[in-house]
């Protein structure tokens, strides 16, 4: 499998001098196309920074980030904005839907922002996949939390991005609803062939992924294929994440 995201020796230093913090230290990793990757680690280990640097939301201090073969280092802010609109999807803990827009308008918003045409067949497929047929005229406030996150997942997929990044996408949901959203993300990878990278604190959420990357102190210290919630929890305990 080819890597859709590739980091080479990526470091990110916040601040300078005495107050400098190394959030990422010479990190090198590849995310295979069509895979589901969970990113775990103790608080402050660099998970969000890894996600933001991989997605072109933040710029590394040094090193190379390639997304679908495009080098992000040296791109200006407008080029990065364009890249994020067309080639990256995002799902956040807080859904981040536009309350004044309908479900359908929220889903197609990235296309309008990118000035791209709606692919009707793809739109119908993702609306059906996320189980929102019949609710496309609703406003977000008329939906449950789980349904709102399904809208956000459809919105993340609408441009057929190279990769969908999730930052605690189930963090605001109850256990049962979270499970449905994780099943959906799994399907997005297994049935639609998309690539998903998800930061999570939850070993159960991580167990839906193909691979779990464990971060500590700005480095990838371990990875686990075919994760189970028990094995992930045990590994996190050894990292001192819950002490
Ligand atoms: N904008 C910033 N300015 C200064 N330091 C920052 C900034 N963002 C992150 N850091 C620091 O970088 C380190 C890594 O932070 P990051 O948010 O990536 O960790 P995380 O693993 O996502 O943590 P959490 O699980 O608590 O969200 C931490 O020490 C954090 O305090």
């Amino acid at each position: 499998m080819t890597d859709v995201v590739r980091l080479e020796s990526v470091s990110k230093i916040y601040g300078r001098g005495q107050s400098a913090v190394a959030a990422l230290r010479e990190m090198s990793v590849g995310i295979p196309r069509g895979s589901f990757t969970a990113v775990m680690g103790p608080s402050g280990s660099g998970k969000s920074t890894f996600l933001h640097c991989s997605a072109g939301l933040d710029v590394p201090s040094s090193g190379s980030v390639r997304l679908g073969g495009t080098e992000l280092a040296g791109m200006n802010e407008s080029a990065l904005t364009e890249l994020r609109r067309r080639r990256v999807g995002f799902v956040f803990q807080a859904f981040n839907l536009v309350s004044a827009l309908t479900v359908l308008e929220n889903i197609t918003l990235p296309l309008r922002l990118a000035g791209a045409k709606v692919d009707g067949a793809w739109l119908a497929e993702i609306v059906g996949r996320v189980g929102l047929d019949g609710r496309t005229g609703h406003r977000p406030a008329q939906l449950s939390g789980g349904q709102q996150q399904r809208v956000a997942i459809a919105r993340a997929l609408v441009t057929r991005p190279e990769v969908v990044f999730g930052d605690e996408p189930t963090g605001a949901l109850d256990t049962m609803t979270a499970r449905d959203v994780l099943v959906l993300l799994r399907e997005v990878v297994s049935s639609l062939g998309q690539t998903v990278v998800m930061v999570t604190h939850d070993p159960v959420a991580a167990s839906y992924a193909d691979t779990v990357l464990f971060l500590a102190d700005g480095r990838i210290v371990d990875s686990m294929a075919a994760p189970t919630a028990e094995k992930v929890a045990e590994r996190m305990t050894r990292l001192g994440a819950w002490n």
Side-chain angles (χ1 to χ4, degrees), residues 14-15 21-24 41-50 168 199 201 215:
Y14 288 110
V21 176
L24 298 179
S43 183
S45 58
K47 301 181 295 296
S48 299
T49 307
F50 162 74
E168 295 275 357
V199 166
H201 285 101
L215 271 60

Side-chain angles (χ1 to χ4, degrees), residues 76-96:
N76 63 28
E77 190 44 48
S78 64
L80 282 173
T81 302
E82 178 75 7
L83 174 127
R84 288 195 301 266
R85 279 184 184 156
R86 288 179 178 268
R87 298 174 62 183
V88 178
F90 294 98
V91 183
F92 300 98
Q93 180 169 346
F95 319 142
N96 294 8

